[in-house]
Amino acid sequence: MNVAEWKKAQNRFAGATIVITRPVGEGVSLARSVRASGGTPVLLPGLALRALASDAARTALAGLARNHAAIFTSPAAVRFAFDLRPSLRVARETAFALGAGTARALARHGIEALIPPERSDSEGLLAMHEFAHVRGRRIALIGAPGGRNLIAPVLRRRGAKVEAIHVYRRVAPRLTSRHFDALDAARDPLIMLASSAEALANLVALLPAPQIERLRGQIVVVSSARLAVAARAQGFVEVVLARSAAPRDLLAAAEAALAHHRL
């Protein structure tokens, strides 16, 4: 990267506000990237995550090394699983992560996981050749209840024996005057990054009417076509589709949207 390209990268979000809707405590690194690129980040969590501790979950996690495969659905799934069972072990070459962020979280615990090569979502994982022929295989799915609930039903139809291990749950966040004041003070243009339909619905329900109407009139970057449909159903008009929920893809889509907005 030459000096001109470096300066451009440093200022790609200059004058813009990037609204980050990641769960409570999980948007800090994304905010740091926005700030380093000249933008103003606003942390507006659409979800909070809570541990689900149970003897059944601990026992199931203890048996991961005996499963044919273990799928971790998010970095939070990794964090809460190891909180619940610090000695957690997964058999070699049987760990799968739904995306690069989850794989990095597993790597910090010494576990090398496979990730979908094409797209970091349920469809991408189900398209992996490792899951094409799973009849009779035992597969553990580590995550939270709710969500899309696509992976387990599809693998079961393919003949796998899937065990869902719930190590955390998603709840609505507790927004305070700090969040509302930050949004009020934010300058246009606003670009909201969204990677969860549940988080988006929570924000629509929790934000004061003038604030949600303001956001509806701005740009929202979403991580999937399914979420784009949900965003439009919630009244958002300018919906931009990112390649995936990975921070670099969300920010790349935000940069392209901002450039188009400034034309």
Side-chain angles (χ1 to χ4, degrees):
M1 180 183 292
N2 59 37
V3 174
E5 290 172 332
W6 180 82
K7 287 183 176 179
K8 182 180 178 182
Q10 293 297 104
N11 293 287
R12 58 178 174 159
F13 294 127
T17 300
I18 309 298
V19 180
I20 298 167
T21 64
R22 289 284 171 93
V24 175
E26 295 198 355
V28 176
S29 62
L30 194 49
R32 192 179 302 118
S33 296
V34 169
R35 199 173 289 110
S37 299
T40 301
V42 170
L43 292 171
L44 188 68
L47 293 167
L49 309 181
R50 299 285 183 265
L52 271 179
S54 69
D55 290 339
R58 287 190 185 90
T59 300
L61 290 172
L64 285 188
R66 297 188 298 275
N67 276 298
H68 288 88
I71 301 169
F72 291 82
T73 59
S74 67
V78 177
R79 173 163 59 92
F80 285 108
F82 276 89
D83 284 348
L84 195 56
R85 194 167 191 92
S87 61
L88 177 62
R89 294 291 179 268
V90 181
R92 183 176 176 81
E93 297 181 351
T94 63
F96 295 84
L98 208 51
T102 307
R104 286 192 295 271
L106 285 166
R108 288 193 286 270
H109 293 280
I111 297 173
E112 184 177 350
L114 297 173
I115 62 173
E118 299 297 330
R119 46 188 289 186
S120 299
D121 58 13
S122 299
E123 287 85 353
L125 183 128
L126 291 167
M128 295 175 70
H129 69 86
E130 287 87 353
F131 295 109
H133 305 287
V134 293
R135 183 165 299 280
R137 291 184 64 187
R138 295 175 59 209
I139 300 174
L141 185 62
I142 300 100
R148 296 181 65 192
N149 193 30
L150 177 64
I151 296 173
V154 170
L155 291 178
R156 287 179 180 127
R157 286 198 296 272
R158 294 177 184 177
K161 300 174 182 177
V162 181
E163 179 181 15
I165 306 175
H166 296 149
V167 294
Y168 73 101
R169 61 189 176 96
R170 306 177 188 90
V171 298
R174 181 177 176 270
L175 299 182
T176 68
S177 59
R178 176 172 58 88
H179 299 101
F180 303 139
D181 292 347
L183 193 55
D184 276 338
R187 294 187 301 170
D188 290 347
L190 293 174
I191 303 178
M192 183 166 68
L193 310 181
S195 53
S196 163
E198 186 178 357
L200 199 59
N202 284 339
L203 292 175
V204 169
L206 294 172
L207 286 173
Q211 290 193 338
I212 197 63
E213 286 308 311
R214 182 188 179 197
L215 287 173
R216 282 175 169 144
Q218 302 282 333
I219 300 165
V220 57
V221 172
V222 298
S223 58
S224 69
R226 176 187 58 85
L227 187 50
V229 172
R232 292 189 180 98
Q234 293 283 8
F236 294 89
V237 177
E238 192 169 353
V239 180
V240 176
L241 181 61
R243 187 173 182 271
S244 78
R248 65 179 181 278
D249 290 334
L250 291 172
L251 292 177
E255 181 181 10
L258 183 59
H260 184 267
H261 174 83
R262 287 171 169 167
L263 289 178

